[in-house]
Amino acid sequence: MTAETLDGAASAPLAGVPNSLVRRLGRALPALPGLAVLLFLFLVPMAIMFVFSFWRTNNDFRLVPDWNLDNYARFFLEGTYLRTFLKTLVMGSLVTLATLLIGIPFAYFLVRYTNRWVQRAILLAVIVPFWTSYLVRVYAWQAILGEHGALNQFLMGIGLINQPSTLFNYDDPGVFVVLTYIYFPFAVLALYAALEKFDFTQLNAAQDLGARPDQAFRHILLPQIRAGIITACIFVFIPILGEFLTPTLVGGAQSSLIANLVVNYLRQAQFAEGGALAIIIAAFVTVVMIVFRKSLRVEDVVTSG
Amino acid sequence: MDELTRQMHRREFLRLAGALGASAGIGAFLAACGASGSSSAPAASQAAPTTAASAGPAASAAATPGPTGTFNWLTWGDHWYQAEMDKIAADIGIKANITSFSDNIDAYTKIQQVGGQVDLVSGDALWVPHYYQSQLIDPFDINSLKVSSQLFSIARSFEIWTSPAGYLGYPNGWAPIQITYDPAHVTSGADSWQLLLDPKYKKRVVVEDQPVEIMAYMGKAAGVKDPYNMTDDEIAKAKALLIQLKPNILRLAPQATDTVAALKNGEAWIATINLGADTSVMDQGGPKLTTFTPKEGSIGWMDAEMQVHGGANENLLMPFLEVHEQAEYVAANFMLNRRPLFSEAAYKLLINQGQQELADHLLFNKPETVLTMTLKGPGTSTQKVIAAFNDVFGA
């Protein structure tokens, strides 16, 4: 802290006022609604669910404090849960990768080659889908991917196929496509925010010094938009771990993700059993968040503003 | 109705006359608009018959001036329609604050939590005595309701709904789960659950996304007598059939409308449906379907309106049911939602309206069919059944 800053602090309106409890509470006041939301709508329910996950649901659908670890053991001992969780991780990774592979060139083009007005217009177009409900957007994809959907009509229309393809019809590829569509805007917004701050003359300088374009991209650009990439990964990968609606609507019988199995318990009021599975997923998400957070260096955070 | 008319005083007569005038207006509105039901009504595109707003319900409503107010009703979307509720409110001053629910377990757990904050709750078959055993509802003397004389007699004496303290609920509707198929693609003459398992129909079957019900009819297919209370061996048998079924399933439909859509556009050739969904497919321009009840027996539901124990507006319930269950409203509800109801008077009204073919096709005239179904209810094997279902449908 510089001497100038210290001087400024000394002359601030509150300088000299005792650091009383009232004053500290006054400072915290604006944060109280947010803290209350966090406490009562997140932490308390999570704590309750955590406790319940060690209980048992009786035949009257009531939770009884019959403490046990069976609900957790189920996840690790019955292969279907581990396999489905693994499948969810793979799906999440593939969708994250796809949104990055599509999103980075898209955001790069937007920032480097278009003016402000065009950028705003295109970003608006990216955001517009959020104005409609998630459910409506996913249902719309049924009309596109279905056996008699727009995609098959188009492919048959141009003579590429003779009869409707079932490739994207209520199966994993359909889930992949729809999830990529749903989460693409999240990735683009994070990447755009990072690229917007990038000084593109550095790429020219790198090539002037002998770097090939791909080298300049890998060694100059990527490290500097690292925070944006990690943010995009968080925005895309983590919500997919809890996705059950898209697999339900476009995934058919072969495409359950781990949240679908959890929901099957919760819909039948088996809260202890479903709660344990949900806690395991939440614990995994926490670990992922810590890993992501640790991979962000301080300068990344400063750079990303 | 004549008896009621004779009992009327001058003031009541004037009130009825007013109601009749309103009825005529609503009737015309219903006829003109076709779908005036709630947005949640599955077949809302069907016009309610003009009888919905004829003199009957209004006359009954006006017969006995009673309490007015608003009560809380936890029910399915197809138990009411907006025009009816508006008219009842106008006629007798009783309004319903309606909350919808998706499944019996949803309503049951809510009532467990909030109890008498709800006055009336709808529930299926064996859920009804379960509510009673849990002391969540109060039985009542069904014969004290004049409108109960309009019910098929069988509906007033279901053993599972009878307790020493009275009847457990007012009977509403019923339906078995059936199988429907498009004969253009499926070998005709099918009469068994085995049709769902035939490898010829890979990704051509749609079933509703209800794990407990799916396991229950797989249980029926395996010869299990009580598919909501299966032993471990029986669950294993049902699961083995579920494994055969999985490759045939195109999708687990989130709701009945998704099943109807899949059948209509030809993506699905076979589906498990609630009675009446096949007519919805055909009404919407889909293929002519063949529907049957599997020879191994089926599961099904029959539902009732139950008086919640400790409800603050208990005094409004019987006057409301007295009107809400009148044949005219029940017949209109049938035309909107296409499943049989327990009102014999409504069936006769439908015949008068020229709807006998439809009513008979949907078994309206055969309420005794419910005695052949395995009725929906809370089971002791729910948790293990879901574990088995997850094992099959997980990766």
Side-chain angles (χ1 to χ4, degrees):
Chain A
M1 196 175 280
T2 63
E4 190 179 320
T5 311
L6 286 171
D7 290 346
S11 60
L14 293 175
V17 176
N19 196 13
S20 66
L21 182 64
V22 173
R23 188 176 157 211
R24 274 183 281 167
L25 279 176
R27 281 178 180 168
L29 204 59
L32 281 182
L35 289 172
V37 166
L38 190 66
L39 180 66
F40 293 110
L41 300 183
F42 178 68
L43 292 176
V44 170
M46 282 293 284
I48 292 171
M49 192 167 74
F50 183 68
V51 171
F52 284 172
S53 69
F54 295 99
W55 291 12
R56 205 180 295 282
T57 309
N58 69 12
N59 285 336
D60 193 31
F61 307 97
R62 288 181 190 276
L63 287 159
V64 288
D66 179 9
W67 298 86
N68 70 91
L69 289 171
D70 294 353
N71 301 326
Y72 287 91
R74 179 179 292 112
F75 181 87
F76 297 101
L77 298 180
E78 294 179 19
T80 190
Y81 296 100
L82 278 174
R83 285 195 302 272
T84 309
F85 189 56
L86 191 63
K87 179 183 171 182
T88 308
L89 296 181
V90 170
M91 179 65 79
S93 303
L94 289 176
V95 172
T96 305
L97 188 63
T99 54
L100 289 178
L101 289 177
I102 301 168
I104 290 174
F106 179 80
Y108 183 92
F109 166 81
L110 208 60
V111 172
R112 187 158 192 191
Y113 299 116
T114 61
N115 63 39
R116 278 274 170 199
W117 284 103
V118 175
Q119 280 180 29
R120 284 176 188 168
I122 294 178
L123 280 178
L124 185 67
V126 168
I127 295 166
V128 158
F130 289 121
W131 295 356
T132 58
S133 98
Y134 179 106
L135 200 61
V136 170
R137 281 181 280 151
V138 179
Y139 261 109
W141 275 97
Q142 285 185 2
I144 297 171
L145 300 176
E147 188 177 349
H148 303 293
L151 181 63
N152 272 319
Q153 298 294 329
F154 172 73
L155 294 176
M156 287 195 295
I158 61 172
L160 207 62
I161 54 175
N162 295 325
Q163 53 186 355
S165 165
T166 57
L167 181 62
F168 294 107
N169 199 21
Y170 302 122
D171 215 333
D172 290 334
V175 176
F176 170 78
V177 168
V178 176
L179 287 177
T180 302
Y181 159 77
I182 294 282
Y183 288 100
F184 175 70
F186 293 97
V188 164
L189 292 177
L191 293 166
Y192 174 83
L195 277 164
E196 200 186 20
K197 295 179 177 66
F198 181 71
D199 179 1
F200 285 94
T201 57
Q202 290 180 53
L203 293 179
N204 298 333
Q207 290 183 57
D208 287 346
L209 293 171
R212 296 192 308 271
D214 65 299
Q215 288 176 317
F217 176 78
R218 279 187 285 119
H219 297 297
I220 304 297
L221 180 68
L222 279 187
Q224 293 196 53
I225 62 166
R226 180 186 157 92
I229 291 172
I230 290 171
T231 306
C233 288
I234 291 171
F235 282 177
V236 176
F237 181 75
I238 289 177
I240 288 174
L241 298 184
E243 265 289 346
F244 74 95
L245 204 53
T246 296
T248 299
L249 294 178
V250 297
Q254 326 294 327
S255 310
S256 292
L257 299 181
I258 189 68
N260 295 87
L261 305 191
V262 177
V263 166
N264 285 341
Y265 277 109
L266 298 182
R267 281 170 56 195
Q268 290 301 318
Q270 307 292 313
F271 296 119
E273 293 70 18
L277 298 178
I279 289 289
I280 291 170
I281 297 170
F284 182 82
V285 167
T286 306
V287 171
V288 170
M289 289 292 286
I290 290 168
V291 170
F292 277 139
R293 181 68 189 85
K294 280 195 177 296
S295 67
L296 279 176
R297 297 189 301 263
V298 173
E299 56 268 34
D300 291 330
V301 178
V302 172
T303 307
S304 69
Chain B
M1 206 57 68
D2 289 343
E3 187 185 340
L4 284 177
T5 311
R6 277 197 299 275
Q7 291 172 353
M8 268 189 248
H9 300 295
R10 178 174 168 274
R11 182 179 162 197
E12 290 160 356
F13 175 78
L14 290 172
R15 191 174 173 186
L16 169 61
L20 279 169
S23 297
I26 292 173
F29 174 77
L30 285 172
C33 300
S36 60
S38 72
S39 58
S40 56
S45 62
Q46 297 302 318
T50 52
T51 51
S54 66
S60 173
T64 315
T68 59
T70 302
F71 72 92
N72 298 310
W73 188 10
L74 190 55
T75 187
W76 284 286
D78 63 353
H79 280 222
W80 59 281
Y81 55 97
Q82 193 59 52
E84 174 201 11
M85 302 312 292
D86 291 345
K87 185 157 174 359
I88 291 174
D91 285 347
I92 62 170
I94 296 179
K95 294 179 183 174
N97 177 26
I98 296 172
T99 305
S100 292
F101 64 89
S102 56
D103 201 358
N104 286 289
I105 183 70
D106 184 19
Y108 181 79
T109 49
K110 269 186 188 145
I111 296 295
Q112 269 185 336
Q113 298 303 316
V114 306
Q117 288 179 30
V118 174
D119 302 293
L120 192 66
V121 63
S122 309
D124 271 331
L126 296 170
W127 280 96
V128 175
H130 191 72
Y131 273 94
Y132 177 60
Q133 284 151 16
S134 304
Q135 300 180 330
L136 296 173
I137 58 167
D138 291 329
F140 56 90
D141 177 10
I142 190 167
N143 295 314
S144 69
L145 286 166
K146 289 191 182 86
V147 72
S148 70
S149 64
Q150 298 184 7
L151 291 167
F152 286 103
S153 60
I154 189 176
R156 291 193 298 268
S157 56
F158 288 124
E159 200 178 323
I160 57 167
W161 289 354
T162 303
S163 79
Y167 217 51
L168 302 184
Y170 192 93
N172 177 63
W174 62 279
I177 289 183
Q178 297 181 305
I179 297 175
T180 193
Y181 63 87
D182 183 350
H185 298 288
V186 176
T187 313
S188 60
D191 62 354
S192 162
W193 290 107
Q194 293 298 323
L195 177 65
L196 301 177
L197 312 178
D198 191 328
K200 277 191 295 190
Y201 305 121
K202 188 178 177 189
K203 290 191 91 171
R204 292 295 180 186
V205 175
V206 169
V207 297
E208 266 196 66
D209 187 12
Q210 296 177 323
V212 174
E213 314 308 337
I214 294 172
M215 280 294 281
Y217 55 73
M218 286 297 100
K220 291 297 286 185
V224 175
K225 285 195 172 163
D226 188 359
Y228 290 101
N229 298 288
M230 290 195 274
T231 64
D232 289 354
D233 282 350
E234 289 170 337
I235 290 173
K237 285 179 189 171
K239 184 180 167 185
L241 294 183
L242 193 62
I243 291 168
Q244 289 182 51
L245 173 65
K246 184 182 176 185
N248 284 5
I249 293 181
L250 174 70
R251 64 180 307 207
L252 297 163
Q255 51 193 351
T257 49
D258 293 300
T259 303
V260 169
L263 287 165
K264 183 196 155 198
N265 66 27
E267 286 182 339
W269 297 345
I270 306 169
T272 55
I273 55 164
N274 272 316
L275 181 71
D278 52 345
T279 61
S280 296
V281 174
M282 291 183 269
D283 287 345
Q284 292 176 30
K288 186 167 170 52
L289 303 170
T290 303
T291 304
F292 67 92
T293 304
K295 65 182 179 188
E296 298 91 341
S298 185
I299 61 171
W301 56 267
M302 57 183 219
D303 59 16
E305 314 298 354
M306 297 172 280
Q307 179 178 304
V308 179
H309 177 68
N313 303 294
E314 183 186 333
N315 62 327
L316 300 177
L317 300 186
M318 296 305 142
F320 171 77
L321 289 174
E322 196 73 76
V323 182
H324 168 67
E325 299 295 344
Q326 289 289 332
E328 289 83 353
Y329 287 136
V330 176
N333 189 307
F334 169 79
M335 292 306 295
L336 283 169
N337 297 303
R338 305 293 179 93
R339 74 275 183 267
L341 297 138
F342 283 117
S343 171
E344 187 173 18
Y347 174 67
K348 288 175 179 168
L349 193 59
L350 287 165
I351 292 173
N352 292 338
Q353 289 290 312
Q355 300 290 351
Q356 182 172 9
E357 189 181 351
L358 177 65
D360 288 353
H361 173 70
L362 298 177
L363 306 180
F364 204 133
N365 58 335
K366 294 183 177 170
E368 65 277 10
T369 309
V370 298
L371 301 176
T372 68
M373 306 186 309
T374 295
L375 294 171
K376 273 190 181 186
T380 54
S381 55
T382 303
Q383 201 173 104
K384 287 180 177 176
V385 156
I386 295 168
F389 184 88
N390 278 353
D391 203 20
V392 174
F393 282 91

